[in-house]
Amino acid sequence: MWLLPLLERSRNEVESDARQVLGPDDPDLAQALQAVVQRGLTAWSDYWISRSLGWMVAEEVELFAGLLRKIALGQGSQATRHAAKRLLKENGLWPAN
């Protein structure tokens, strides 16, 4: 839960700050950032879900495709549902009608 406020900052800023303090023996930054995205996508609040959608990079869309489909078809706000669907469509992961 303490990871969620990171979503209020730009991903580039968070990455840059982390790279400045990480050493060669530290965990992979990509995995840590994916943990932040996953936590946001599974949050109880539409706010955190929408922030997480905005944080995602293309490589993560396929990784989280199942969660994105659930969000796109779920009961969140219309804007959040459309954002999830748009990410899936842009990456060829939403069936064409």
Side-chain angles (χ1 to χ4, degrees):
M1 216 162 124
W2 60 272
L3 295 172
L4 292 177
L6 290 174
L7 295 169
E8 293 183 315
R9 297 174 55 199
S10 80
R11 184 178 177 132
N12 289 338
E13 180 184 345
V14 172
E15 272 189 79
S16 176
D17 289 352
R19 288 191 193 289
Q20 291 178 16
V21 296
L22 288 175
D25 296 329
D26 287 320
D28 179 37
L29 181 57
Q31 288 179 342
L33 295 174
Q34 288 171 0
V36 175
V37 170
Q38 181 174 13
R39 183 65 190 113
L41 291 176
T42 59
W44 66 95
S45 165
D46 191 71
Y47 174 77
W48 295 117
I49 295 169
S50 66
R51 299 295 301 186
S52 190
L53 292 171
W55 239 54
M56 291 181 74
V57 294
E59 298 82 32
E60 294 169 340
V61 174
E62 188 171 352
L63 178 65
F64 296 115
L67 285 172
L68 292 173
R69 276 189 216 94
K70 187 175 179 181
I71 293 165
L73 299 170
Q75 296 180 359
S77 73
Q78 183 178 14
T80 300
R81 291 191 322 266
H82 283 275
K85 188 175 178 180
R86 183 176 56 254
L87 285 170
L88 290 166
K89 280 184 172 183
E90 288 172 354
N91 289 274
L93 299 169
W94 187 263
N97 291 345

